[in-house]
Structure formats: C-alpha cells, structure tokens
C-alpha cells in the first residue's frame, strides 16, 4: 500500500464523497450549492458508465450513462466541488471526524458519503463484448422495454431467472426461453414455466452468434438456440472494500448495506447511496437518495 502523509497536515472538508455515480453527484450538487467544502473521489467506470441508453430519467428523453456522469461532474464542479481522480483505499473514524485515505494522502472530513456502486460479474461467453448493451442486457428494469416484441433468451444461474422470465413474458414479449445455466430446475419451477408458455433449456451457454446482429446462442453441447436478445444475469459485487474498518449492518444475506431513509448507515455520519445499499438500483433512485442525504448532512452541519 502507498505511504500516507502525516494526518495532522491533512486537508479538511465538510463532506467527502466516494464515487461519481448519479448518487454521489447529486449529493455533491446539493452540498456545493450550500457552499460547503466538498471533495469527491472519482474513478472512471462504474455501472452508470456502462448504460448506453437511459430513458427512464425524468426530464431527459434519452442519455448515455457516460454523458450523464460527464454533465454531472461539470455541474458539481461549477458549485465548488473539488474532484480528485483517485481510488479511496480506506475510511475510518466517526461523525465529525473521518479520515479518508486516497492516492497516498489522508484527508479529514466531518461526513462521508459512500456512493461507489457495484460491479457486475460478466459471463465469459464468447462474443459477449460485441453485443453487450445492444442485444445482451443484464437488467430487466433498465432495458426490458428495449426487448419489447423480440425473441428473448433469459440466462440465470439461479432460480431468480424464473421470476425474470415471467416478468419479461408478462410485460414485454411473448417469446421467452429460460436457460438454467449450470443447474436443473425442480419439477415445481419447470411446471410454472410450462404454465406460462415459457421455453426452458438446461445447460451451459458458450457463444453468442452473429456478426453485427445477434442471431442465436450456441450451447456447450453444440445446439443453437435462435434469439434476437439475451437477458443474462451473473450477479454483482459491491465496491465497498474501503469500508472494511466498519462493522456495518447488512441485509439478511449479509450483502447490501442497511441504512435509515436519510441514507445514514449504522456508523454515525457515514451515509451510503445507490447500489451499495438496500433497495432497487436505478440512476434516478440514486440521485434522489443523494439529494436526501445532502439535505440531512447540511442540516446537521448548521445545526438547524
Ligand atoms: C448496462 C447497464 C444499463 C443500465 N441502465 C439503466 C437505465 O436505463 N436506467 C437506470 O435508472 N439505471 C440503469 N442502470 C443502473 C444504474 O446505472 C445504477 O443503478 C446506478 O449506476 C447506481 O448508481 P450509483 O450511484 O450507485 O453508482 P455507479 O454508477 O456505479 O458509480 C459509482 C462510481 O464510483 C466509482 N468507485 C468505485 N469504487 C471507488 C473507490 N474506491 N474510490 C473512488 N471511486 C470509486 C466507480 O468507478 C463509479 O464511477 C444500468 C446499469 C447497467 C450496468
């Protein structure tokens, strides 16, 4: 690990924000417009950055995640937020006195907002990069609409794929086949799919077929399942390594971080937004959480 500066000379801020996704950026805009000293750590990438078409964000007909982030960074900086392109390595402390280690330096802050999101486990299918975000999607809430009326294959390693398949059938397309990747469905779930008119295949997908347009999926046994779109879910892991000093309250699976409605975690003064915390993960939800948290922090700083 890089050497750190002596903390007595550390710069002090009212709030340090980890991650420039929609949650962190919205919080920065609110806090900056209250004239607080705000430092944001930004590491390029992140889930929003991978979204090619966001069409469910109020007031914007369609925007790529990259554009949304770039515009948000400019907006946050225009209200005085300082943005550092560095990975946060560790956060420690409590309300009024946090220490944040990033880029070999230590910074102090009264409040910390963890808005660093999650990363997806991308399946190792051949040609996936060619179709990712175009005809290979990972999120029904985000991209189900784009699949309307198309010949769809749903791939999941868990029973959740049954729910996704039914949701897709009921909302978007009548032509759905579910691939239980690496496991066999119990007769109970197989019957549910049969009753819904959803095709089912057990096995291991290997290759997406097609040059510019997706034409099908080749399985490890050589069989080909024709399709126009794939909805595949391989799971996510949280970008929360820098919080390991804290014994944070998590959900029943010990995964997502539990917070109060204002975003405060079980550690006083440490707020958590977006994909890191319990609930649905959507850009507009993260942004709303960012606004809520920023107002809470502002109220505490000025003690009103
Ligand atoms: C392909 C795809 C399509 C999507 N489409 C939609 C859609 O249409 N509509 C919608 O509402 N949502 C969509 N989403 C989901 C949406 O992007 C997420 O809900 C949203 O990203 C959650 O935002 P966030 O604020 O938690 O963080 P993120 O957007 O994940 O941003 C977190 C940032 O923190 C950075 N970071 C991580 N660790 C550190 C660290 N240690 N130090 C500094 N920085 C760090 C990351 O690099 C990233 O820049 C889509 C997601 C994907 C993957």
């Amino acid at each position: 690990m890089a050497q750190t500066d002596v903390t007595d000379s550390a710069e002090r801020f009212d709030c340090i924000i980890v991650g420039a996704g929609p949650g962190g950026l919205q919080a920065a805009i609110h806090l900056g417009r209250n004239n607080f000293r705000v430092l944001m750590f930004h590491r390029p990438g992140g889930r929003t950055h991978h979204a090619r078409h966001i069409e469910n964000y109020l007031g914007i007909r369609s925007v790529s995640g990259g554009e949304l982030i770039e515009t948000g960074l400019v907006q946050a900086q225009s209200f005085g937020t300082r943005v550092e392109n560095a990975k946060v390595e560790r956060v420690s402390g409590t309300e009024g006195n946090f220490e944040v280690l990033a880029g070999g330096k230590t910074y102090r802050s009264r409040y910390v907002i963890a808005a660093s999101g999650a990363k997806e486990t991308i399946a190792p299918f051949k040609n996936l990069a060619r179709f990712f975000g175009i005809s290979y999607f990972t999120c029904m809430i985000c991209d189900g609409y784009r699949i309307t009326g198309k010949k769809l294959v749903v791939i999941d390693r868990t029973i959740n794929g049954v729910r996704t398949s039914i949701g897709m059938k009921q909302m978007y397309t009548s032509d759905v086949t579910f691939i239980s990747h690496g496991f066999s469905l119990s007769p109970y779930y197989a019957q549910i799919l049969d009753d819904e008119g959803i095709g089912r295949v057990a096995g291991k997908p290997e290759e997406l077929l097609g040059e510019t347009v997706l034409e099908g999926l080749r399985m490890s046994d050589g069989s080909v399942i024709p399709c126009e779109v794939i909805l595949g879910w391989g799971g996510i892991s949280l970008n929360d390594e820098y919080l390991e000093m804290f014994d944070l309250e998590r959900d029943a699976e010990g995964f997502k971080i539990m917070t109060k409605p204002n975003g405060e975690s079980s550690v006083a003064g440490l707020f958590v937004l977006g994909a890191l915390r319990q609930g649905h993960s959507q850009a507009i939800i993260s942004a709303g959480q960012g606004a809520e948290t920023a107002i809470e922090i502002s109220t505490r700083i000025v003690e009103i």
Side-chain angles (χ1 to χ4, degrees), residues 32 89 106 111 116 118 148 153 160 191 193-194 202 247 262 285 300:
E89 306 283 354
T106 300
Y111 293 92
S116 45
T148 300
V153 162
N160 277 338
Q191 188 61 54
L193 290 176
D194 291 350
D247 184 20
N262 64 19
I285 295 175
R300 291 197 200 178

Side-chain angles (χ1 to χ4, degrees), residues 18-23 41 43-48 50-51 53-54 56 86-88 115-117 120 142-143 239 242 274-275 281-283 286:
V18 187
F41 288 102
R43 210 173 43 133
R47 293 191 73 228
T48 306
H50 293 299
H53 316 271
I54 296 179
N56 53 7
K87 180 181 180 187
V88 171
S116 45
E120 290 192 34
C142 306
D143 291 309
N239 297 324
Y242 61 94
S281 179
Q282 286 282 278
S286 294

